[in-house]
Amino acid sequence: MFISFEGIEGCGKTTQVHRLARRLEALGIPVRTTREPGGTAIGEEIRSVLLDARNQHLSPLAELFLYAADRSQHVQDVIRPALAEGKWVLCDRYVDATTVYQGYSRGLDMHLVRVLNETATGGLLPDITFLLDCPVEVGLGRALHRNREMALEGQDRFELEQKQFHESVREGYLKLSDSEKERFILIDATRAEEEMETVIFKHIRPLLGHQKK
Ligand code: TMP
């Protein structure tokens, strides 16, 4: 089973990836949690280039290619092998992030985005994608709080973007989820972490025992 989590900055998806992993592991289900960008050693290096606040001049196309490079390595080295071993793969962001951030919000050629997504993944899509949706103020508020708690230096390159950009990301995700209803499950991310965990698990419970590779 391959499950991805998407949403704007600070929607809480990383926490939910780990909460779901804990629940599944408690049931004896083998789980592999991972993320994009950065699911491999090479991907971590790519991630640091992408998120470095000093790289404001990174061109939109270069950015797109870096996400594709990260994803290609990730699918080959982590996702496909884990699925082949019968693990549940829980991925913090995947192809939809590129469709929305680079395609919808940055306005890059959607055909190119689609071709790169398909090429990098060999057409591998998640069985389920949870979209954690909340207003931009809620998400950015959480992201800022998290950075302070972790004593990170300010915000990364994406969190520094204009509020308008984040609004368009939210809108892009909602449109995308609406156009692929069979794969997306929309979660109200203004809820408390525990509540979100319960709602997400309600969607997972019927799938237990029906693992597919
Ligand atoms: P994260 O903070 O959720 O780990 O994501 C890192 C940033 O990378 C986030 O701002 C969204 C952005 N991103 C893209 O723009 N395109 C992509 O394809 C992915 C995977 C992430």
Side-chain angles (χ1 to χ4, degrees), residues 6-10 13-14 35-37 47 50-51 63 67-68 70-71 92-102 106 117 146 156-159 165-166 173:
E6 300 278 355
I8 62 166
E9 319 299 313
K13 63 191 165 39
T14 308
R35 68 170 178 176
E36 289 191 0
R47 181 182 175 93
L50 281 163
L51 301 192
E63 182 187 83
Y67 283 114
D70 167 72
R71 183 160 302 127
D92 190 339
R93 293 197 192 280
Y94 190 58
V95 284
D96 303 308
T98 305
T99 304
V100 171
Y101 280 82
Q102 280 65 53
R106 292 229 193 276
N117 275 348
R146 175 192 64 208
D156 72 27
R157 205 167 61 82
F158 281 88
E159 288 165 8
F165 177 80
H166 296 286
Y173 270 128

Side-chain angles (χ1 to χ4, degrees), residues 27-48:
L27 295 170
I29 294 172
V31 177
R32 178 67 157 89
T33 60
T34 187
R35 68 170 178 176
E36 289 191 0
T40 61
I42 291 169
E44 283 301 337
E45 292 194 33
I46 296 175
R47 181 182 175 93
S48 65

Side-chain angles (χ1 to χ4, degrees), residues 97-112:
T98 305
T99 304
V100 171
Y101 280 82
Q102 280 65 53
Y104 189 85
S105 297
R106 292 229 193 276
L108 292 181
D109 178 9
M110 214 34 122
H111 176 68
L112 175 63

Side-chain angles (χ1 to χ4, degrees), residues 81-93:
L83 290 174
E85 285 170 22
K87 291 186 178 151
W88 283 48
V89 174
L90 309 185
C91 192
D92 190 339
R93 293 197 192 280

